[in-house]
Amino acid sequence: MRRVQVLDARGVARALERMAAELVESVGDEKLLYLVGVQTRGVPLARRLAELVADATGHEPPVGALDISLYRDDVGPWRAAHQQPVLRDTELPAAIDNKVICLVDDVLYTGRTVRAALDTLMDYGRPRAIRLAVLVDRGHRELPVAADFVGRTVPTSREEDVQVRLKESDEEEGVWIAREVEG
Amino acid sequence: MSVAAAPRLRGKDLVGIDPLSPGEIQLILDTSVQMREIAERPIKKVPALRGKTVVNLFFEASTRTRFSFEVAEKRLSADSLNFSATTSSVSKGETLIDTAMNLEAMQPDFIVIRHAYAGAPHQLARILRSSVINAGDGAHEHPTQALLDALTIRLKRGTLEGLTVAIVGDLQHSRVVRSNVLLLSRMGAKVRVAGPPSLIPIGMDQMGCEVHTRIEDAIAGADVVMMLRIQLERQGRMNFPTVREYYDFFALTPERLKLARKDCLVMHPGPMNRGVEIDSRVADGPQSVILEQVTNGVAVRMAVLYLLAGGHGEPTAD
């Protein structure tokens, strides 16, 4: 396994600061903003963005957590011998109706997680708008999905693995590209 | 005992608690906790089992369990088909296996079965491709009941480990007691059972529980008291003189409940015979979690359906 670091802890912090600034500017009225992290690493990223938004505007937006396992398209008949994903908390502390939801995830890849997240959110209410913020966009979209706020665009091949590590859940912080090396 | 949750169920079926490891039991309970949240949503339905067909094959009367499975199936977007023995070809003499083989020819994914004969679900599980879920087989097992009981206790007490659980009543005819003793002892709880000697089956003491013939001995200091229904329809001969006498010696009354811990939970799998095995003042009292058991039943059945739908081949690399 060969790993190449593309963002260190400082790089992650800077990327989030820029994303938070862009988010505040695009939403206009920060009281409408509501951050929702996709389990698992989207959740701490959403919390960090919310703090940065609060620093900039004096208003701390609500933060929710979304588990999309029950809406995935790669379980059941499409992958019959695979285990079901372990379910995590879905917690939306306030109604999402008429809010500008910013979905937050660590990596944007095929776009299938985002599709599932949109369907999950729609079962909770009718937001005014949904935006998408990701720390890393690695390309290879399979669905017509694009992020509104991107920390870092990283060209990858499908054989590579993008590893996001955050201090909330891991022993290190940063973004790496990993690749199996033959022999 | 600390148990690492298994990431998957090993079998294609849920025929009983007996084949489950502690890790598998924990996985079902953890998944059930998440499933409870779906009932709080504005739209109480997720697409996880879209396109799956479930046959609810009930050869015995049931309100709670059949409705609970049906609600669970609908919340997961599965298609439910309900079978009742009275309006089917069973009344024309068709055998269980023929009925099941014919239903399977219509390609269902799950068969939920309740049958008066112990082992009926196991037999179907062996011959059918569908996942078979035991919803009660004779006096043998009722695994989803034990799982929902365990979930109710875990949500109230945080753990099952180290708790003392008393199960009182008709032990002879109860599948609930068997599944509960297996599950609770496997998860580190101490189980005491009590009932009239005429309703204690031979070998009960070898299941890993203490056996008592006085309710007072079983519930003294208990964290949980689970009352079993006196199954008046299954009493071949009278195993106790009168219902009134049963109440006098074995019912859970407010006075007897004082012997247990102050915060002891009162449970009953239903349907209750008020004034026979349980006094209404206890059934409707502040320590009763009987209706929460029903709510948790839906979540547990959703978890079992969801986990079994994941397939049962060797895990593939992600």
Side-chain angles (χ1 to χ4, degrees):
Chain A
M1 177 81 74
R2 204 183 57 196
R3 279 170 110 214
V4 178
Q5 188 162 30
V6 292
L7 283 176
D8 58 10
R10 235 173 92 106
V12 170
R14 279 199 189 144
L16 290 173
E17 276 164 30
R18 186 171 42 73
M19 289 161 73
E22 290 170 5
L23 179 57
V24 168
E25 194 187 343
S26 92
V27 174
D29 182 0
E30 65 270 7
K31 298 211 166 44
L32 291 175
L33 187 59
Y34 190 147
L35 290 144
V36 176
V38 178
Q39 290 279 18
T40 52
R41 287 193 183 80
V43 179
L45 289 174
R47 289 214 182 89
R48 289 199 213 175
L49 280 173
E51 278 171 32
L52 292 165
V53 169
D55 290 346
T57 65
H59 175 79
E60 180 147 3
V63 181
L66 205 64
D67 181 88
I68 55 113
S69 308
L70 297 168
Y71 291 77
R72 282 169 66 136
D73 64 5
D74 58 353
V75 293
W78 290 273
R79 226 158 75 177
H82 197 277
Q83 72 189 49
Q84 296 284 49
V86 172
L87 304 187
R88 317 267 175 196
D89 290 336
T90 291
E91 222 175 331
L92 295 169
I96 63 168
D97 300 291
N98 291 317
K99 294 285 192 178
V100 176
I101 304 292
C102 183
L103 268 178
V104 184
D105 206 356
D106 54 352
V107 180
L108 179 57
Y109 183 25
T110 60
R112 289 176 188 271
T113 301
V114 175
R115 195 281 308 162
L118 292 174
D119 282 351
T120 313
L121 269 181
M122 292 302 184
D123 281 358
Y124 282 90
R126 189 176 188 280
R128 176 179 298 228
I130 302 178
R131 310 279 179 235
L132 176 62
V134 296
L135 185 59
V136 178
D137 181 349
R138 62 167 295 189
H140 304 288
R141 219 72 80 236
E142 292 168 5
L143 297 177
V145 167
D148 300 282
F149 313 103
V150 179
R152 182 69 166 262
T153 302
V154 183
T156 59
S157 78
R158 284 179 185 273
E159 288 69 43
E160 288 166 330
D161 186 23
V162 174
Q163 301 176 339
V164 173
R165 300 284 178 260
L166 299 173
K167 61 176 189 282
E168 287 90 342
S169 53
D170 311 292
E171 284 170 353
E172 52 188 359
E173 172 142 326
V175 178
W176 285 265
I177 296 178
R179 162 167 229 153
E180 292 291 341
V181 194
E182 296 283 317
Chain B
M1 181 171 57
S2 82
V3 184
R8 64 210 307 276
L9 300 182
R10 290 166 302 167
K12 109 180 143 64
D13 313 288
L14 179 72
V15 292
I17 296 298
D18 204 24
L20 297 180
S21 70
E24 288 175 305
I25 291 167
Q26 186 167 306
L27 175 66
I28 296 172
L29 297 179
D30 289 348
T31 306
S32 307
V33 171
Q34 303 297 349
M35 291 295 184
R36 273 169 54 96
E37 187 266 342
I38 292 167
E40 317 285 321
R41 298 184 186 185
I43 294 177
K44 298 190 271 286
K45 198 178 186 75
V46 295
L49 260 61
R50 205 159 43 98
K52 301 274 187 192
T53 306
V54 187
V55 176
N56 298 313
L57 195 55
F58 279 70
F59 290 93
E60 270 194 337
S62 164
T63 313
R64 226 168 324 272
T65 306
R66 190 168 61 78
F67 266 67
S68 181
F69 267 107
E70 206 177 331
V71 171
E73 291 151 14
K74 288 185 174 6
R75 295 239 162 108
L76 292 171
S77 304
D79 297 306
S80 309
L81 298 170
N82 292 310
F83 168 100
S84 90
T86 47
T87 58
S88 72
S89 290
V90 170
S91 56
K92 300 178 192 163
E94 189 172 52
T95 67
L96 168 64
I97 288 176
D98 282 337
T99 301
M101 295 292 272
N102 276 277
L103 288 169
E104 178 150 280
M106 302 178 203
Q107 280 98 27
D109 301 281
F110 290 93
I111 292 189
V112 177
I113 177 175
R114 165 166 291 189
H115 200 279
Y117 289 170
H122 305 67
Q123 187 168 18
L124 294 193
R126 277 193 297 274
I127 60 171
L128 300 182
R129 283 187 312 275
S130 322
S131 288
V132 175
I133 300 175
N134 182 358
D137 62 324
H140 181 218
E141 277 228 48
H142 191 353
T144 56
Q145 178 70 43
L147 287 161
L148 75 88
D149 291 337
L151 176 65
T152 306
I153 299 170
R154 206 180 89 168
L155 288 168
K156 290 284 173 191
R157 290 289 172 268
T159 180
L160 299 170
E161 197 180 336
L163 297 182
T164 300
V165 181
I167 308 177
V168 182
D170 181 349
L171 308 175
Q172 176 82 49
H173 300 93
S174 175
R175 49 194 169 217
V176 175
V177 72
R178 279 168 190 72
S179 289
N180 260 301
V181 169
L182 289 167
L183 189 156
L184 292 166
S185 54
R186 205 157 286 183
M187 299 307 280
K190 196 172 135 191
V191 188
R192 301 179 189 151
V193 300
S198 53
L199 288 172
I200 299 176
I202 293 163
M204 193 83 220
D205 53 336
Q206 282 156 36
M207 288 189 70
C209 54
E210 278 177 30
V211 182
H212 298 273
T213 51
R214 292 179 69 238
I215 179 173
E216 291 82 0
D217 297 338
I219 67 179
D223 298 283
V224 179
V225 178
M226 225 178 257
M227 298 308 294
L228 300 173
R229 185 170 67 93
I230 282 299
Q231 307 198 10
L232 297 163
E233 78 280 15
R234 287 188 218 265
Q235 308 289 348
R237 57 193 163 85
M238 290 305 272
N239 290 297
F240 46 87
T242 63
V243 163
R244 178 62 191 271
E245 183 164 320
Y246 186 85
Y247 174 90
D248 287 343
F249 284 93
F250 285 97
L252 189 62
T253 58
E255 297 71 36
R256 288 195 176 118
L257 185 56
K258 287 198 185 98
L259 298 169
R261 280 175 55 110
K262 204 174 265 168
D263 59 355
C264 175
L265 303 176
V266 173
M267 302 175 73
H268 193 299
M272 285 187 282
N273 295 308
R274 286 172 181 269
V276 181
E277 69 266 2
I278 190 162
D279 192 293
S280 280
R281 287 167 293 172
V282 176
D284 306 326
Q287 287 165 263
S288 167
V289 292
I290 293 170
L291 293 175
E292 284 164 67
Q293 289 174 266
V294 179
T295 304
N296 290 333
V298 175
V300 156
R301 288 165 183 131
M302 288 171 77
V304 168
L305 287 161
Y306 169 71
L307 291 169
L308 289 178
H312 40 272
E314 285 304 305
T316 53
D318 200 295

